[in-house]
Amino acid sequence: MASTVLNAPNSVQRINGLDWGSDVGLKRSPNSNFLCVRTSANVRSPRLFVVRASEERDAHMKKLGRSDAECEAAVVAGNIPEAPPVPPKPASPAGTPVVPLLPLSRRPRRNRRSPAMRASFQETNLSPSNFVYPLFIHEDSATIYPHRLGTWVLFQSVSKARDVGVNSVVLFPKVPDALKTPTGDEAYNDNGLVPRTIRLLKDKYPDLVIYTDVALDPYSSDGHDGIVREDGVIMNDETVHQLCKQAVSQARAGADVVSPSDMMDGRVGAIRRALDAEGFYHVSIMSYTAKYASSFYGPFREALDSNPRFGDKKTYQMNPANYREALIETREDESEGADILLVKPGLPYLDIIRLLRDNSPLPIAAYQVSGEYSMIKAGGVLKMIDEEKVMMESLMCLRRAGADIILTYFALQAARCLCGERR
Ligand code: PBG
């Protein structure tokens, strides 16, 4: 098995790169369960989605050779067509045991016996409006000359996403080392990469919903989400002070939702007060309520070069062994004024999503992180799993567990799939 992985095709390597947003090998499964009607605000050619199977289903009607009106007239005249003959009992394979019926009052399979019935009783649905598309930005994507390739690529990604009903993005910057400092002051530079990108995007797409990441790690020379003291301690309240400035700077540029992912204590309340004091009472806060110290973030940190320079993030991110502790964070974030509560990672933490769903009336977000995405991509490339089906199932499971929205690198690919598009 190890050698299979080592000899994997080159495309596996791309999983580690910055191209998570691009989708590989998308094929719509012919009998996919996931259908949608386009909802995008900027749909130029609205297309109602029609289940193609209906044509086949109606084929026998056509054989009668009567129009609807003729059929109706025939019924009114009492010429009711004969019932179709009872089909012969389908043969069982030779050797099938002959047994009495089990005395069951309930056979749950009855409600699953046809595609139409399964569709009727489906409890959870998936729509492109549930997705938030993460975009990785670097200097070239926010340059003030919009003809530069980076900006063009950024606009392309957003426009492709909007075309299939994904109108929310979250921005993650790759900041040059020269701009990183121990106190991460570049985080609140009004002319920094993130504020410039927000202004570019809002200028072209005023109704795009822009989420931002609030944390110091992309700007910290230590690669931590907060300011690091000489002895390695991450300083809480001093970090919160910086985060407030960062959030206000993002709001000033036009961010719709600021998302503290740093896990410092008290940052939601402090950011709320800072935003309100500057007149940004309409800007929402999506709090990373239960963010775990997870190894599933590996590919993201590689891509953005944001690995902690020393130690780990266990003094601020949560212990993956803990469940009840997520309730403590939930209560704090709710009372401090969070608008949306986020759980991260996604699939390995479905129980936490359900816990928050059952304990808070606020919208719940799940973050399907880079490691989850890469595993599905790699499994698909190695032909160990059906990438598209596993992608759709994993997203549906996050919804079933209680997530209203999902931050996912699959946003574009999954939305295309929901809209019945081929690549
Ligand atoms: C950091 C941040 C991380 C991710 C999003 N924001 C990494 C971390 O906590 O080190 C990870 C996302 C992913 O793995 O997809 N504030």
Side-chain angles (χ1 to χ4, degrees):
M1 189 52 67
S3 68
T4 319
V5 174
L6 284 175
N7 295 332
N10 283 342
S11 42
V12 174
Q13 301 301 324
R14 298 180 52 214
I15 289 158
N16 296 322
L18 262 168
D19 70 330
W20 297 332
S22 67
D23 42 319
V24 183
L26 173 63
K27 267 191 241 116
R28 178 166 163 76
S29 46
N31 51 1
S32 170
N33 278 327
F34 306 94
L35 302 175
C36 82
V37 178
R38 289 182 166 221
T39 51
S40 166
N42 79 327
V43 176
R44 276 167 291 248
S45 52
R47 266 182 285 157
L48 194 64
F49 205 55
V50 180
V51 183
R52 236 183 257 136
S54 63
E55 286 158 24
E56 279 156 41
R57 227 187 292 134
D58 295 344
H60 71 279
M61 301 281 281
K62 289 196 190 104
K63 276 193 211 132
L64 287 173
R66 288 184 195 163
S67 69
D68 287 358
E70 286 166 342
C71 285
E72 210 178 307
V75 171
V76 170
N79 294 333
I80 298 158
E82 268 174 51
V86 178
K89 199 173 174 218
S92 315
T96 301
V98 178
V99 298
L101 270 187
L102 286 172
L104 300 180
S105 63
R106 192 165 300 287
R107 288 180 182 261
R109 288 184 56 189
R110 275 198 286 263
N111 286 349
R112 300 179 205 136
R113 71 184 184 276
S114 73
M117 292 184 82
R118 288 195 292 276
S120 301
F121 306 128
Q122 181 162 323
E123 299 174 33
T124 310
N125 289 293
L126 198 55
S127 145
S129 60
N130 302 130
F131 301 147
V132 180
Y133 192 26
L135 295 175
F136 293 90
I137 55 174
H138 45 86
E139 262 313 314
D140 202 34
S141 46
T143 174
I144 43 171
Y145 308 109
H147 59 267
R148 287 277 293 274
L149 187 65
T151 315
W152 188 81
V153 170
L154 179 73
F155 284 169
Q156 278 293 303
S157 308
V158 172
S159 137
K160 283 185 207 160
R162 283 161 61 92
D163 262 351
V164 286
V166 178
N167 198 35
S168 301
V169 298
V170 54
L171 304 179
F172 292 106
K174 178 158 168 57
V175 176
D177 276 347
L179 294 177
K180 298 185 184 183
T181 60
T183 46
D185 301 280
E186 178 65 12
Y188 53 86
N189 174 1
D190 283 339
N191 283 314
L193 184 52
V194 170
R196 269 184 290 134
T197 306
I198 297 172
R199 290 195 291 265
L200 273 173
L201 287 172
K202 279 288 179 180
D203 191 47
K204 192 161 165 64
Y205 308 104
D207 65 332
L208 181 71
V209 182
I210 302 183
Y211 292 66
T212 55
D213 192 55
V214 179
L216 296 186
D217 56 322
Y219 310 95
S220 152
S221 43
D222 297 308
H224 275 285
D225 291 17
I227 301 173
V228 186
R229 207 168 60 188
E230 190 178 35
D231 57 357
V233 166
I234 312 298
M235 303 173 75
N236 192 88
D237 301 17
E238 295 77 1
T239 298
V240 171
H241 178 84
Q242 300 289 76
L243 299 177
C244 288
K245 290 185 173 180
Q246 183 181 19
V248 167
S249 166
Q250 294 168 346
R252 202 178 284 133
D256 298 282
V257 186
V258 297
S259 324
S261 68
D262 56 287
M263 291 301 282
M264 297 300 121
D265 294 332
R267 89 282 205 211
V268 171
I271 290 173
R272 185 69 274 159
R273 287 188 293 277
L275 289 173
D276 290 354
E278 297 284 331
F280 298 116
Y281 49 83
H282 55 280
V283 172
S284 311
I285 300 178
M286 177 170 75
S287 175
Y288 283 61
T289 297
K291 177 174 180 178
Y292 287 86
S294 168
S295 302
F296 283 92
Y297 308 147
F300 175 98
R301 291 183 187 170
E302 284 300 314
L304 293 187
D305 188 23
S306 66
N307 270 300
R309 300 286 176 266
F310 63 89
D312 50 43
K313 298 192 174 185
K314 291 180 183 170
T315 67
Y316 44 108
Q317 298 181 349
M318 287 173 57
N319 180 348
N322 290 1
Y323 175 81
R324 281 181 282 118
E325 197 181 349
L327 268 186
I328 299 177
E329 293 284 359
T330 302
R331 287 183 189 152
E332 286 308 312
D333 285 354
E334 274 193 330
S335 70
E336 289 176 33
D339 299 283
I340 306 163
L341 307 178
L342 183 143
V343 175
K344 179 180 176 183
L347 217 51
Y349 294 81
L350 292 181
D351 56 333
I352 310 298
I353 297 173
R354 172 52 54 189
L355 177 72
L356 266 62
R357 169 73 296 141
D358 288 345
N359 283 279
S360 173
L362 289 173
I364 306 295
Y367 196 147
Q368 183 178 52
V369 300
S370 56
E372 300 173 67
Y373 172 81
S374 302
M375 279 165 37
I376 296 174
K377 277 283 172 199
V381 167
L382 296 175
K383 304 222 179 314
M384 290 172 161
I385 54 170
D386 179 324
E387 174 185 321
E388 186 181 295
K389 286 186 177 156
V390 173
M391 163 183 80
M392 296 311 267
E393 183 177 332
S394 67
L395 295 167
M396 184 66 86
C397 291
L398 291 165
R399 294 267 302 138
R400 189 202 62 230
D404 298 285
I405 59 170
I406 304 171
L407 285 71
T408 174
Y409 305 103
F410 280 125
L412 180 61
Q413 187 180 348
R416 281 179 168 168
C417 184
L418 287 167
C419 291
E421 277 189 15
R422 281 164 203 279
R423 225 162 76 90

